[in-house]
Amino acid sequence: MASPSACARSIRISLFSYGHANGPIVQQHTREARCHKTLAYNIRHLPNPPRHLRLKATGLSRRLQKEFLQNDNVEAFLAKVQREISDVAKEECDRLLYSTEQDENNQGSEEANARSDLNTHSSEEAAVEGADIDIVVTICCEEGRHRSVAFVEELARRLAMFKHGDGSSQHWQLNINITHRDIGDLEDCEQSLGQNKRPNKVQAKARQRERREKGNRYESHLED
């Protein structure tokens, strides 16, 4: 019997957050994977985080995520999406395993052997070039900056716990990619998260220190 690592399936899960107001996601399927699945979710019915947090941060903010995720409706929908993604991964892994076993059982004739060799060669190429299974998950909120971003970030953390294929007849190797389409570049994200405030505080303290030093020099000059 083959070892679990030898039977491991490579699964790529691509998580996309985007805003309904900015148009739909344009999906581009790669030809590398043997199976493609797309799951689309609209979370505009879920409550927004507090307005004062949305004004200062995107869904990348851990504080905003905490406020958003503590809602029972958000937690329930997150668990639903996580379960459906896991079910799709397990079903596709089992289907590929069944297909492989069928090919092995049909190796009685030269034609079957030739087809098996071709499939083996194709499988080896797929393993080198890309994943066996490609799952695309799109999460839509209104503007694509808060709810969908926070949802995708938490979903990715939870999916990472399924790297060993628990509950499936075989193991898998999971690769998770995250794309936040509508929150701009990294610099914009850092500014929205308030990460640019720390240098300002440092600069303010430096200016205060300079004023104190100037004041001390001025007082010393008067005493002289």
Side-chain angles (χ1 to χ4, degrees), residues 124-148:
E124 291 175 352
E125 288 182 346
V128 173
E129 296 178 358
D132 292 316
I133 302 169
D134 188 14
I135 302 175
V136 175
V137 182
T138 63
I139 306 295
C140 169
C141 66
E142 187 59 35
E143 296 181 356
R145 294 180 55 84
H146 303 105
R147 287 173 292 180
S148 61

Side-chain angles (χ1 to χ4, degrees), residues 196-211:
N196 61 329
K197 293 182 179 180
R198 182 171 296 177
N200 291 339
K201 291 181 179 179
V202 173
Q203 293 172 3
K205 290 182 179 179
R207 287 194 295 268
Q208 291 176 359
R209 184 168 59 252
E210 290 175 359
R211 285 196 294 268

Side-chain angles (χ1 to χ4, degrees), residues 145-175:
R145 294 180 55 84
H146 303 105
R147 287 173 292 180
S148 61
V149 174
F151 195 96
V152 162
E153 289 291 319
E154 178 63 19
L155 182 60
R157 284 191 287 267
R158 298 190 182 192
L159 289 175
M161 300 175 63
F162 287 88
K163 285 188 176 181
H164 302 295
D166 296 337
S168 177
S169 60
Q170 58 183 320
H171 288 229
W172 63 54
Q173 297 175 349
L174 188 61
N175 180 28

Side-chain angles (χ1 to χ4, degrees), residues 32-34 118-132:
E32 300 170 352
R34 298 172 63 184
L118 179 60
N119 289 338
T120 300
H121 180 67
S122 300
S123 298
E124 291 175 352
E125 288 182 346
V128 173
E129 296 178 358
D132 292 316

Side-chain angles (χ1 to χ4, degrees), residues 78-90:
L78 184 60
K80 171 181 178 293
V81 173
Q82 178 186 351
R83 182 172 60 253
E84 291 180 357
I85 295 174
S86 178
D87 289 345
V88 167
K90 293 173 184 177

Side-chain angles (χ1 to χ4, degrees), residues 9 34 93-109 111-113 115-117 119-120:
R9 296 294 182 185
R34 298 172 63 184
C93 280
D94 292 342
R95 189 176 67 81
L96 287 178
L97 177 61
Y98 176 77
S99 177
T100 301
E101 291 175 345
Q102 288 294 101
D103 290 340
E104 292 175 352
N105 292 334
N106 293 331
Q107 290 181 354
S109 64
E111 181 180 355
N113 286 332
R115 185 169 59 253
S116 176
D117 292 339
N119 289 338
T120 300

